Amino acid sequence: MARHLVADLYGCTDMIDDPEAIKEAAHKAIDFVGAEIVEECIHEFEPIGVTYFAVITTSHFSVHTWPEYGYAAIDVFSCSDTVTEGITDKLKELFKATQIKTQIIERNISSF
């Protein structure tokens, strides 16, 4: 079984328009779930917004931001059930959000 966490973060500060701040927060979140970065990419949009993507040892971690709305969309997909445990509060703290809504999608990777 694999889990895919979809998190919507609201009320984020302007740090979500800073690529280095996002990268630092992502590194802390990835470390928190016990994964390691295999490869990463970050893109700063004009005039605002950032996308960060990391292939991690358990699958992937991504961040897409809309600073004009104080909103960040974060996905954590993992073949390890433990990766999403406790990450919600950590993401809220790291991305300085006032509110977070999450969904966890159970991905059945075994044969049907």
PDB file of all heavy atoms in Angstrom, residues 78-93:
ATOM      1  N   SER A  78       4.139   8.478  -1.124  1.00  0.00           N
ATOM      2  CA  SER A  78       5.127   7.573  -0.555  1.00  0.00           C
ATOM      3  C   SER A  78       4.678   6.129  -0.580  1.00  0.00           C
ATOM      4  O   SER A  78       3.510   5.829  -0.354  1.00  0.00           O
ATOM      5  CB  SER A  78       5.412   7.970   0.887  1.00  0.00           C
ATOM      6  OG  SER A  78       6.292   7.043   1.462  1.00  0.00           O
ATOM      7  N   CYS A  79       5.625   5.253  -0.835  1.00  0.00           N
ATOM      8  CA  CYS A  79       5.356   3.823  -0.740  1.00  0.00           C
ATOM      9  C   CYS A  79       5.437   3.352   0.708  1.00  0.00           C
ATOM     10  O   CYS A  79       5.176   2.197   1.008  1.00  0.00           O
ATOM     11  CB  CYS A  79       6.323   3.038  -1.618  1.00  0.00           C
ATOM     12  SG  CYS A  79       8.049   3.307  -1.222  1.00  0.00           S
ATOM     13  N   SER A  80       5.763   4.258   1.626  1.00  0.00           N
ATOM     14  CA  SER A  80       5.819   3.942   3.055  1.00  0.00           C
ATOM     15  C   SER A  80       4.637   4.585   3.762  1.00  0.00           C
ATOM     16  O   SER A  80       4.428   5.787   3.662  1.00  0.00           O
ATOM     17  CB  SER A  80       7.128   4.476   3.655  1.00  0.00           C
ATOM     18  OG  SER A  80       7.087   4.378   5.053  1.00  0.00           O
ATOM     19  N   ASP A  81       3.833   3.788   4.456  1.00  0.00           N
ATOM     20  CA  ASP A  81       2.675   4.309   5.176  1.00  0.00           C
ATOM     21  C   ASP A  81       3.062   5.304   6.257  1.00  0.00           C
ATOM     22  O   ASP A  81       2.272   6.158   6.632  1.00  0.00           O
ATOM     23  CB  ASP A  81       1.873   3.171   5.817  1.00  0.00           C
ATOM     24  CG  ASP A  81       1.114   2.359   4.788  1.00  0.00           C
ATOM     25  OD1 ASP A  81       0.992   2.810   3.629  1.00  0.00           O
ATOM     26  OD2 ASP A  81       0.649   1.260   5.141  1.00  0.00           O
ATOM     27  N   THR A  82       4.265   5.217   6.766  1.00  0.00           N
ATOM     28  CA  THR A  82       4.670   6.077   7.874  1.00  0.00           C
ATOM     29  C   THR A  82       5.036   7.491   7.434  1.00  0.00           C
ATOM     30  O   THR A  82       5.097   8.387   8.247  1.00  0.00           O
ATOM     31  CB  THR A  82       5.870   5.485   8.629  1.00  0.00           C
ATOM     32  OG1 THR A  82       6.960   5.358   7.727  1.00  0.00           O
ATOM     33  CG2 THR A  82       5.520   4.144   9.232  1.00  0.00           C
ATOM     34  N   VAL A  83       5.263   7.711   6.161  1.00  0.00           N
ATOM     35  CA  VAL A  83       5.718   9.024   5.695  1.00  0.00           C
ATOM     36  C   VAL A  83       4.714  10.127   5.975  1.00  0.00           C
ATOM     37  O   VAL A  83       5.076  11.236   6.299  1.00  0.00           O
ATOM     38  CB  VAL A  83       6.098   8.975   4.199  1.00  0.00           C
ATOM     39  CG1 VAL A  83       6.253  10.360   3.624  1.00  0.00           C
ATOM     40  CG2 VAL A  83       7.399   8.206   4.040  1.00  0.00           C
ATOM     41  N   THR A  84       3.445   9.853   5.893  1.00  0.00           N
ATOM     42  CA  THR A  84       2.453  10.911   6.097  1.00  0.00           C
ATOM     43  C   THR A  84       2.060  11.088   7.559  1.00  0.00           C
ATOM     44  O   THR A  84       1.368  12.035   7.895  1.00  0.00           O
ATOM     45  CB  THR A  84       1.188  10.656   5.248  1.00  0.00           C
ATOM     46  OG1 THR A  84       0.666   9.380   5.577  1.00  0.00           O
ATOM     47  CG2 THR A  84       1.499  10.754   3.769  1.00  0.00           C
ATOM     48  N   GLU A  85       2.492  10.220   8.442  1.00  0.00           N
ATOM     49  CA  GLU A  85       2.150  10.332   9.857  1.00  0.00           C
ATOM     50  C   GLU A  85       2.789  11.576  10.476  1.00  0.00           C
ATOM     51  O   GLU A  85       3.993  11.758  10.397  1.00  0.00           O
ATOM     52  CB  GLU A  85       2.592   9.086  10.638  1.00  0.00           C
ATOM     53  CG  GLU A  85       1.948   7.802  10.184  1.00  0.00           C
ATOM     54  CD  GLU A  85       0.443   7.795  10.361  1.00  0.00           C
ATOM     55  OE1 GLU A  85      -0.058   8.358  11.353  1.00  0.00           O
ATOM     56  OE2 GLU A  85      -0.234   7.233   9.481  1.00  0.00           O
ATOM     57  N   GLY A  86       1.985  12.447  11.054  1.00  0.00           N
ATOM     58  CA  GLY A  86       2.484  13.613  11.760  1.00  0.00           C
ATOM     59  C   GLY A  86       2.968  14.754  10.892  1.00  0.00           C
ATOM     60  O   GLY A  86       3.405  15.781  11.398  1.00  0.00           O
ATOM     61  N   ILE A  87       2.898  14.601   9.575  1.00  0.00           N
ATOM     62  CA  ILE A  87       3.446  15.626   8.698  1.00  0.00           C
ATOM     63  C   ILE A  87       2.548  16.862   8.610  1.00  0.00           C
ATOM     64  O   ILE A  87       3.040  17.965   8.361  1.00  0.00           O
ATOM     65  CB  ILE A  87       3.732  15.050   7.281  1.00  0.00           C
ATOM     66  CG1 ILE A  87       4.540  16.027   6.425  1.00  0.00           C
ATOM     67  CG2 ILE A  87       2.445  14.652   6.578  1.00  0.00           C
ATOM     68  CD1 ILE A  87       5.926  16.300   6.901  1.00  0.00           C
ATOM     69  N   THR A  88       1.266  16.724   8.864  1.00  0.00           N
ATOM     70  CA  THR A  88       0.343  17.852   8.718  1.00  0.00           C
ATOM     71  C   THR A  88       0.747  19.048   9.576  1.00  0.00           C
ATOM     72  O   THR A  88       0.872  20.165   9.072  1.00  0.00           O
ATOM     73  CB  THR A  88      -1.103  17.416   9.049  1.00  0.00           C
ATOM     74  OG1 THR A  88      -1.458  16.344   8.172  1.00  0.00           O
ATOM     75  CG2 THR A  88      -2.072  18.552   8.859  1.00  0.00           C
ATOM     76  N   ASP A  89       0.949  18.825  10.868  1.00  0.00           N
ATOM     77  CA  ASP A  89       1.343  19.929  11.751  1.00  0.00           C
ATOM     78  C   ASP A  89       2.699  20.498  11.365  1.00  0.00           C
ATOM     79  O   ASP A  89       2.927  21.705  11.455  1.00  0.00           O
ATOM     80  CB  ASP A  89       1.362  19.473  13.212  1.00  0.00           C
ATOM     81  CG  ASP A  89      -0.030  19.206  13.758  1.00  0.00           C
ATOM     82  OD1 ASP A  89      -0.998  19.788  13.221  1.00  0.00           O
ATOM     83  OD2 ASP A  89      -0.145  18.419  14.707  1.00  0.00           O
ATOM     84  N   LYS A  90       3.597  19.630  10.917  1.00  0.00           N
ATOM     85  CA  LYS A  90       4.927  20.087  10.515  1.00  0.00           C
ATOM     86  C   LYS A  90       4.844  20.989   9.284  1.00  0.00           C
ATOM     87  O   LYS A  90       5.497  22.029   9.227  1.00  0.00           O
ATOM     88  CB  LYS A  90       5.839  18.880  10.252  1.00  0.00           C
ATOM     89  CG  LYS A  90       7.282  19.240  10.102  1.00  0.00           C
ATOM     90  CD  LYS A  90       7.846  19.765  11.418  1.00  0.00           C
ATOM     91  CE  LYS A  90       9.332  19.911  11.373  1.00  0.00           C
ATOM     92  NZ  LYS A  90       9.873  20.508  12.594  1.00  0.00           N
ATOM     93  N   LEU A  91       4.025  20.612   8.312  1.00  0.00           N
ATOM     94  CA  LEU A  91       3.864  21.440   7.112  1.00  0.00           C
ATOM     95  C   LEU A  91       3.273  22.803   7.465  1.00  0.00           C
ATOM     96  O   LEU A  91       3.724  23.834   6.970  1.00  0.00           O
ATOM     97  CB  LEU A  91       2.976  20.738   6.082  1.00  0.00           C
ATOM     98  CG  LEU A  91       3.557  19.503   5.412  1.00  0.00           C
ATOM     99  CD1 LEU A  91       2.506  18.846   4.540  1.00  0.00           C
ATOM    100  CD2 LEU A  91       4.805  19.838   4.619  1.00  0.00           C
ATOM    101  N   LYS A  92       2.270  22.802   8.339  1.00  0.00           N
ATOM    102  CA  LYS A  92       1.635  24.061   8.763  1.00  0.00           C
ATOM    103  C   LYS A  92       2.673  24.979   9.399  1.00  0.00           C
ATOM    104  O   LYS A  92       2.722  26.178   9.121  1.00  0.00           O
ATOM    105  CB  LYS A  92       0.492  23.766   9.733  1.00  0.00           C
ATOM    106  CG  LYS A  92      -0.321  24.976  10.100  1.00  0.00           C
ATOM    107  CD  LYS A  92      -1.511  24.596  10.979  1.00  0.00           C
ATOM    108  CE  LYS A  92      -2.263  25.837  11.398  1.00  0.00           C
ATOM    109  NZ  LYS A  92      -3.354  25.517  12.333  1.00  0.00           N
ATOM    110  N   GLU A  93       3.513  24.409  10.241  1.00  0.00           N
ATOM    111  CA  GLU A  93       4.576  25.184  10.911  1.00  0.00           C
ATOM    112  C   GLU A  93       5.624  25.687   9.909  1.00  0.00           C
ATOM    113  O   GLU A  93       5.961  26.869   9.882  1.00  0.00           O
ATOM    114  CB  GLU A  93       5.252  24.301  11.962  1.00  0.00           C
ATOM    115  CG  GLU A  93       6.500  24.874  12.569  1.00  0.00           C
ATOM    116  CD  GLU A  93       7.303  23.808  13.328  1.00  0.00           C
ATOM    117  OE1 GLU A  93       6.713  22.880  13.905  1.00  0.00           O
ATOM    118  OE2 GLU A  93       8.543  23.906  13.300  1.00  0.00           O
TER     119      GLU A  93
END
